Amino acid sequence: MKKQYTSYKDTMAFLEQAMADYPDLIHVQSIGNTWENRPIVLATLSLGLANANTKPALLYTGTIHAREWIGIELANSFIKYIIDNHQFNPKLQQALSRNTLYIVPCLNPDGFEFSRTHFSFWRKNRRDNGDGSFGVDLNRNFGTRFKHRNDTNATTYGGPEAFSEPETRAIRDFVDNHHNITIELDYHSQGNVFFPAHKFNHEAEVDTTDLNTLCANMAHEIQKVSGTQYGIHRGKPPTNLINGSGREYYYDKGIIATVVEVGTRNIPDYMENMTQSVNENIPALVLALNSAISYSSLAPQRVSNFTINALAANEATLEWEYSGDEDVYFEIYRNQQHKSPCTDDNLVGITKSTSFTDVQLQSGSYYYYKIRAVHAKQQICGPYAPEVKLKTDLAQHQFSRTLFPLRNDIGYLGQYTQEKNREHFGNNSLFIGVNKSRGVCYGVIEFKLDRVPDDAQIEAASFSLYPLNRVGAKIENYGEWGISILDPASISDIRDFEAIKNAKVLHTGQAIESDKLTQGVWSHWSFNGAERKLLEQFIEQGSLVIRIDGPTTLPRGHESQMMQFDIGFGRFGSGIHYRPSIELTYTRRPQRVELYPTMVNSIYRQGIENGKLASGYDPEGEKVYGQLAFAMQAMPDPQRTVITDAYLVIQNTNFLGPKKDIRFTVELAEVDNLSYQSVKERQRIQYIGYEVSHTELRDKKPHFFNFDSFSRGELERLYSEHSPICFVIRSTSASKKGQDDLINWLNDPSNQQQPKLIIEYIERPKTPLAAPTNFTVTLEKNLAKLTWKNPDNDDFVGAFVVRNRFHPPKSPQDGVKIYGGKDEYTFDDFGNPNIPKYYSIFSYDGVPLYSAPACIYFSANQASR
């Protein structure tokens, strides 16, 4: 078993031998020479090698940074895997039949050999800069946004000009002459994260979903092998992205491109860590190779105008357009988290139609939908349409709140930085874990709960935190990060390390292990029942304090196991979209009313007996119906009343013999008049609860008939129409009719021993507000300025503005949030005004219920200045 890393010379020998042994599978060539005259070797692999350059292709580049040895190791292992498996592995055969692999195991041979033999931490190539320094960072030397720097000693020195280096020129020339390349993967270390390419502006691209989904699907393959979860982090444009990178150069040429940062150290122990990194990434590479065809001219077109048609609490209807003339069907995928994979597990629809209704959804929940066309015969998948994000409507009894901490209520506390800990609040990031310089570090967040009513009954709650950087977590599979709910009474000062360290822990949430804590993908902690009850207690006290814990010790010889989380503030903060938050779904403590009947009747064929409640069969075997009615005047405005529970209570005074197979049911019904015929031909609305058997009549009193959700809705409807609430009690028999089998139901108003209708309700708006009016967009100081007129309504809380490049947003979540509040104007501070886009504005109340959108299309050349 191999225990050492492969040299560049050994790599060239391996490739030459592979080409000799498998001339129909692999071709090896040099695409240029380095400063030290080493050939830059590229291998081409495909089934039907003669046609390799006409097939869609994946380009793999490795070890552009000399010290990141994973690139060359993984390349060699992947080529060997292909050689060993291409004759029988059907997935690999399909990938190689339809696509071509171009693979450069090491794009920086001089630097790699220098790192391997002289100075392991060397990063650059070996250019003689002429001032006593050596090397250019090749991943800063490409032409896209190249930035000239004078410090030649810097590890990120980008060279005297773009493409000044033979290595970058070689790969540039190869790419320029191979227009069949559709995907490029650039392998680096470290971080266990994908860094998709960017266009350096704050706008989604039409292929953003393709980039994120390719990375998510590859991450899914990695996780299946080892359990390691890779993150996906596109970076924060435009100022904090690197300049002159290969990733952006490939992307500018229309290639789906991403950096893959593997492992947690540049040169880890081979047997313990590097072997795992190699093995877990090979299935992901097979998937990526298989995907190259999806971004070629052989694939069906991208679906257009993928959007929301209708939205309810438990279902969503999506619609789209397709202009291609191919014989295609559509695959619809649903996730509950951004940057999630598309697999058979979340494929929720296959259809030839251009609309789809997804059912059995949870109310008040976020969903992410993706769609692509698939050739019916060739089974070639097309690219994805831009993802649609939505939040289902709240159920009628629900409210929701998203809670963010104030700037001064979020920060981290370091064991060795106690004199500066107060400065950590509202500034920079949360550093959680342990390292040599800061010691043990805790994150602390206080959430003010004054916006949540004291009588809130929490139905769902989750805490979300955005992992910004995991480069400081350098130890594989070591430590875990979790949350602790602290007792505020035990904390003298949330900005004091010892106070937070020694605070009384009331509950500890589920921890996330280090290899499952991803960078660039939100971490969510869902509150269980006990935690939700604890949260209800804190609502009464006004605040919740959460401590974020990481590992507190380091193994011998290690210096850091530290995660960095975004707080939305400070130099590294990405704004409110990345601020830690708590998402609450709750209802209110209901009001309760007991109603007694305004009318009670027994209805016989021969006539009606007022004031008595009986049902069953008369001596001639004819049915006898019990009828009772209630009025609901004791309740508030029906337009603001939501019935959360209702049940009818009745009690019998006699029972039938044991051989009587007769049962009794209660119906909510509408009866035109109280004749026998009218009751017999009544309009049935719904059965209430379950029927009562003769055994239950004998053994159980009283009897409860519970309303289901449909019946509660009908009860609200009748109340809003000011109609009486009418019930009919009827008997049923499995065999022959009963005779003289009559049940008398207790009805004694003198001591309130009579039927009663119990209703529990909350007061809450039931219909959304009107949308804002006079919605306009102008260009002011090169920013889009949006203005509107808010509705005049006492329930109005604010207006919510979102932006979407691809279609008018029909949900407040379907795009980038621009503004939320009571003003009647805002500026789009981050969007590129030169890119056409749609804006939608919604009004909302305190539930919140959102209005229908007011939409506008904006293009800078059409806007007034």
Side-chain angles (χ1 to χ4, degrees), residues 19-36:
M19 184 170 65
D21 293 342
Y22 299 93
D24 296 329
L25 175 67
I26 181 170
H27 173 73
V28 181
Q29 67 187 96
S30 172
I31 59 171
N33 289 307
T34 67
W35 290 109
E36 296 178 352

Side-chain angles (χ1 to χ4, degrees), residues 470-490:
R470 61 163 298 138
V471 171
K474 296 180 178 295
I475 313 171
E476 296 276 0
N477 304 327
Y478 178 78
E480 58 186 24
W481 282 258
I483 62 171
S484 298
I485 299 175
L486 306 182
D487 181 1
S490 69

Side-chain angles (χ1 to χ4, degrees), residues 588-604:
R588 305 286 297 271
R589 188 176 299 119
Q591 303 295 313
R592 187 174 185 272
V593 62
E594 291 188 4
L595 303 177
Y596 294 94
T598 57
M599 181 188 302
V600 169
N601 296 289
S602 299
I603 303 172
Y604 299 81

Side-chain angles (χ1 to χ4, degrees), residues 321-609:
E321 297 174 4
Y322 190 74
S323 59
D325 56 3
E326 309 99 332
D327 181 15
V328 301
Y329 59 84
F330 305 100
E331 293 180 339
I332 300 102
Y333 296 85
R334 180 189 70 209
N335 293 101
Q336 286 194 269
Q337 187 166 342
H338 189 35
K339 301 177 185 175
S340 293
C342 291
T343 69
D344 286 345
D345 291 339
N346 64 311
L347 176 62
V348 294
I350 297 177
T351 180
K352 294 278 285 185
S353 174
T354 54
S355 67
F356 172 75
T357 299
D358 196 12
V359 296
Q360 298 300 314
L361 303 179
Q362 296 295 314
S363 63
S365 298
Y366 293 98
Y367 293 97
Y368 299 81
Y369 288 92
K370 302 173 192 175
I371 188 172
R372 64 182 177 183
V374 182
H375 273 311
K377 292 182 179 179
Q378 297 96 324
Q379 290 294 290
I380 299 173
C381 301
Y384 292 93
E387 181 179 66
V388 167
K389 178 186 176 183
L390 58 84
K391 185 180 182 182
T392 50
D393 291 348
L394 295 166
Q396 281 224 317
H397 69 285
Q398 291 178 327
F399 301 78
S400 71
R401 289 286 182 276
T402 301
L403 306 177
F404 297 100
L406 299 175
R407 183 168 193 145
N408 292 329
D409 292 341
I410 178 170
Y412 80 93
L413 304 169
Q415 181 182 10
Y416 302 151
T417 61
Q418 298 200 33
E419 71 285 355
K420 293 185 176 181
N421 280 344
R422 290 186 177 276
E423 300 173 14
H424 295 162
F425 278 73
N427 183 35
N428 206 346
S429 307
L430 298 180
F431 291 93
I432 313 296
V434 59
N435 66 18
K436 292 292 186 182
S437 62
R438 295 184 176 95
V440 175
C441 292
Y442 299 107
V444 59
I445 307 176
E446 182 176 10
F447 288 96
K448 298 295 194 294
L449 303 176
D450 51 345
R451 291 177 55 226
V452 185
D454 290 344
D455 65 346
Q457 297 178 339
I458 308 297
E459 296 189 348
S462 64
F463 170 63
S464 299
L465 195 61
Y466 189 79
L468 181 63
N469 195 329
R470 61 163 298 138
V471 171
K474 296 180 178 295
I475 313 171
E476 296 276 0
N477 304 327
Y478 178 78
E480 58 186 24
W481 282 258
I483 62 171
S484 298
I485 299 175
L486 306 182
D487 181 1
S490 69
I491 305 170
S492 58
D493 183 355
I494 66 168
R495 296 162 188 83
D496 180 79
F497 176 84
E498 293 297 328
I500 292 298
K501 175 186 175 182
N502 298 316
K504 181 180 179 181
V505 176
L506 299 177
H507 201 88
T508 300
Q510 183 178 2
I512 301 176
E513 298 171 347
S514 63
D515 62 331
K516 295 178 176 59
L517 192 60
T518 56
Q519 177 177 335
V521 177
W522 284 92
S523 296
H524 300 283
W525 285 267
S526 293
F527 285 48
N528 61 29
E531 292 164 337
R532 294 196 296 272
K533 286 297 181 185
L534 197 58
L535 184 55
E536 289 177 9
Q537 297 176 24
F538 287 122
I539 291 171
E540 297 178 3
Q541 300 174 27
S543 68
L544 167 71
V545 179
I546 288 178
R547 186 179 71 198
I548 308 161
D549 308 282
T552 57
T553 60
L554 289 167
R556 183 181 65 252
H558 291 276
E559 295 189 351
S560 178
Q561 192 69 345
M562 185 79 73
M563 282 293 304
Q564 181 183 0
F565 298 91
D566 203 337
I567 66 171
F569 299 108
R571 185 161 65 98
F572 295 108
S574 300
I576 192 172
H577 306 97
Y578 295 91
R579 203 173 299 169
S581 63
I582 290 181
E583 190 88 16
L584 296 179
T585 302
Y586 63 92
T587 188
R588 305 286 297 271
R589 188 176 299 119
Q591 303 295 313
R592 187 174 185 272
V593 62
E594 291 188 4
L595 303 177
Y596 294 94
T598 57
M599 181 188 302
V600 169
N601 296 289
S602 299
I603 303 172
Y604 299 81
R605 174 173 287 279
Q606 297 86 354
I608 298 173
E609 186 174 357

Side-chain angles (χ1 to χ4, degrees), residues 5 67-70 121 189-190 264-268 274:
Y5 288 91
R67 66 192 180 206
E68 298 173 16
W69 296 4
I70 179 63
F121 211 61
S189 59
Q190 55 180 305
T264 56
R265 300 184 68 184
N266 289 322
I267 311 170
M274 182 63 89

